[in-house]
Amino acid sequence: MQAPNPTDFFDVRSLLSDEERIVQETVARFVDEKALPIIPKAFAEHRFPRELVPELASMGLLGSTLQGYGCAGINNICYGLACQELERGDSGIRSFVSVQSSLVMWPIYTYGSEEQKERWLPALAKAEAIGCFGLTESHGGSDPGAMHTHAKKQGGDWVINGSKMWITNGTLADVALVWARTEDGVRGFLVEKGTPGFEARDIKNKFSLRASVTSELYFDNVRVPADNMLPGAEGLKGPLGCLTQARYGITWGAIGAAIACFREVLEFSQTRTLFERPITHTQTVQRRLAEMVRRITTAQLLSLQLGRLKDQGRMHPSQVSLAKWNNVRMALDIARDARDLLGGGGITIEYCPIRHMLNLESVVTYEGTETVHELVIGRELTGVNAF
Ligand SMILES: Cc1cc2nc3c(=O)[nH]c(=O)nc-3n(C[C@H](O)[C@H](O)[C@H](O)COP(=O)(O)OP(=O)(O)OC[C@H]3O[C@@H](n4cnc5c(N)ncnc54)[C@H](O)[C@@H]3O)c2cc1C
């Protein structure tokens, strides 16, 4: 009997279709050959490696699960595997793809008018346009219902006032999908770069997601035509629907970050000799490595089943919450433990765990903190909203 592959202990690969395997291999090659050689430096320089974007587009990874409009139309397992490989490179690259695909293209596709779809989706798929998603405000991202940003109808236009905080791709974006309170509840608006009164500013000096752009958005009497409102999204369920899409991809991405850390520490610990034997010859190191594999394997099976449910149209948002909570916590714990097993060297950029660990501090917070996901599941179990 063949020994299990350390990073695919339950042979999840054998459960994949040929197409799913090809997508994974293609993205893995891109990450190994194009992303990993530049990512540590980009992270150190606090720079988003924009030079990778054209190839992300040419591989069909932007809006990849959508049908038509120049999108690839692959299934959700393919998309998940792509997220896993991208985040094996860096959470910043996966975040870029998640935002463009799940938080900008998916809502335009799902809630947009035909005109909005034709105008934006082909350009976003080709990366001729970049998008961002503005929901969070400075007074509390976990409670989007408390948003202050508002839009008022004036003649045939909407006038938007307010601000948004922690917005991925904000200063890169040609179009911002902005959620604002109106007399009829929360609605989504497409605001183009250069619209008078709209300004984006980078948030500098982050210690996490340094290879990603995070921005603040400001709206000072920003006037957009009525046609820029997404007709199909009414109330908070509009943006929350987008978050379910993005969280699904994150469940896979976290596995990639964990695998990167595990691989590096497995190799290191086999050659690190202390007290005259490699540290893998000690029980505690073996237990720590075994624990990493146990948790990676559980996460792989969770995301695979989640993806199958999504492809069958049966995925419930609380299932996504459970997987996001489990898998990101798993990856963060593994990154921290791998950092420790690397000793002092583990604090340098020469090894990936500290970079992944720092990135995962954002990933565990954005798209719903752990507490938020626990409360989503608690509400599902008890029928009581305890937020
Ligand atoms: C790098 C980065 C990129 C981001 N990108 C985007 C983006 O592109 N678009 C966007 O809209 N947002 C984005 N965000 C925002 C992100 O979604 C929010 O940071 C997140 O929702 C948490 O909001 P907050 O930071 O305001 O924390 P808060 O909501 O203020 O939470 C503070 C603490 O309170 C806890 N808490 C919350 N509710 C409860 C409760 N009921 N009971 C007990 N404790 C509770 C939380 O778990 C947390 O520990 C990004 C954030 C980061 C860090």
Side-chain angles (χ1 to χ4, degrees):
M1 197 171 302
Q2 213 179 339
N5 172 351
T7 55
D8 184 12
F9 213 71
F10 268 39
D11 200 12
V12 167
R13 197 176 149 77
S14 67
L15 302 173
L16 304 178
S17 68
D18 287 346
E19 188 194 12
E20 290 159 358
R21 280 187 216 150
I22 289 167
V23 169
Q24 180 170 19
E25 282 161 17
T26 307
V27 182
R29 204 172 318 119
F30 163 79
V31 168
D32 290 334
E33 293 173 7
K34 306 280 172 63
L36 282 171
I38 62 171
I39 274 293
K41 190 156 178 273
F43 183 94
E45 291 170 352
H46 209 322
R47 181 184 76 82
F48 171 62
R50 196 172 176 163
E51 60 272 33
L52 298 176
V53 171
E55 201 162 336
L56 292 171
S58 67
M59 284 189 290
L61 295 183
L62 305 179
S64 59
T65 57
L66 307 179
Q67 305 283 344
Y69 304 98
C71 301
I74 54 177
N75 72 10
N76 284 290
I77 303 291
C78 290
Y79 171 60
L81 290 162
C83 288
Q84 178 179 314
E85 293 307 324
L86 293 175
E87 195 146 356
R88 186 170 60 74
D90 192 85
S91 305
I93 315 172
R94 200 270 309 139
S95 294
F96 175 85
V97 171
S98 287
V99 169
Q100 182 92 345
S101 303
S102 301
L103 297 181
V104 180
M105 296 177 72
W106 185 86
I108 293 175
Y109 183 84
T110 309
Y111 308 131
S113 64
E114 195 50 44
E115 202 184 348
Q116 289 165 346
K117 293 183 207 183
E118 307 256 349
R119 161 103 166 81
W120 289 110
L121 293 177
L124 289 160
K126 283 186 246 161
E128 288 166 5
I130 289 175
C132 71
F133 174 90
L135 176 66
T136 303
E137 301 186 358
S138 57
H139 50 272
S142 305
D143 184 12
M147 79 171 62
H148 296 173
T149 300
H150 58 272
K152 284 212 167 84
K153 201 80 187 272
Q154 274 188 18
D157 295 336
W158 286 96
V159 178
I160 306 172
N161 278 287
S163 63
K164 299 286 174 181
M165 180 83 178
W166 304 115
I167 307 305
T168 304
N169 297 347
T171 55
L172 297 178
D174 302 287
V175 61
L177 169 50
V178 182
W179 298 94
R181 182 179 296 290
T182 72
E183 275 183 357
D184 303 325
V186 171
R187 307 296 303 240
F189 298 89
L190 297 169
V191 180
E192 290 188 47
K193 191 178 208 160
T195 307
F198 171 39
E199 200 193 331
R201 283 186 220 147
D202 276 345
I203 297 173
K204 300 208 167 83
N205 302 325
K206 289 176 295 161
F207 286 100
S208 175
L209 278 189
R210 287 174 63 82
S212 169
V213 168
T214 317
S215 319
E216 292 174 83
L217 309 182
Y218 296 93
F219 306 89
D220 181 9
N221 286 318
V222 174
R223 186 173 282 272
V224 296
D227 289 349
N228 284 29
M229 186 180 79
L230 297 183
E234 285 178 46
L236 264 186
K237 61 182 189 309
L240 294 183
C242 306
L243 297 180
T244 300
Q245 305 304 312
R247 289 166 179 172
Y248 165 76
I250 291 171
T251 74
W252 287 90
I255 298 168
I259 286 176
C261 298
F262 169 70
R263 271 190 192 154
E264 203 155 68
V265 84
L266 180 63
E267 194 184 315
F268 173 86
S269 53
Q270 280 163 341
T271 53
R272 185 65 164 181
T273 300
L274 297 171
F275 305 100
E276 296 166 12
R277 74 236 199 269
I279 58 173
T280 41
H281 292 210
T282 66
Q283 287 193 355
T284 45
V285 169
Q286 285 198 13
R287 286 187 64 197
R288 287 161 81 177
L289 294 170
E291 171 72 0
M292 289 182 192
V293 166
R294 177 179 73 81
R295 295 187 67 185
I296 289 171
T297 305
T298 312
Q300 285 169 325
L301 292 167
L302 213 58
S303 281
L304 183 73
Q305 173 62 0
L306 190 68
R308 297 284 183 229
L309 290 173
K310 191 171 193 310
D311 277 333
Q312 293 161 16
R314 296 199 296 135
M315 182 183 82
H316 191 275
S318 64
Q319 294 169 327
V320 186
S321 281
L322 192 138
K324 197 262 181 183
W325 164 29
N326 180 78
N327 291 12
V328 180
R329 168 54 54 191
M330 167 283 294
L332 185 54
D333 289 348
I334 287 177
R336 286 176 179 164
D337 203 32
R339 207 296 308 145
D340 177 74
L341 276 166
L342 291 165
I347 71 158
T348 70
I349 200 85
E350 303 304 317
Y351 293 98
C352 72
I354 195 155
R355 176 169 53 81
H356 283 297
M357 181 188 99
L358 292 168
N359 283 337
L360 288 161
E361 292 291 348
S362 283
V363 181
V364 81
T365 290
Y366 72 22
E367 300 283 346
T369 64
E370 274 185 343
T371 302
V372 163
H373 292 298
E374 286 163 346
L375 294 177
V376 167
I377 297 162
R379 184 178 57 197
E380 198 56 40
L381 298 176
T382 63
V384 178
N385 186 350
F387 278 89

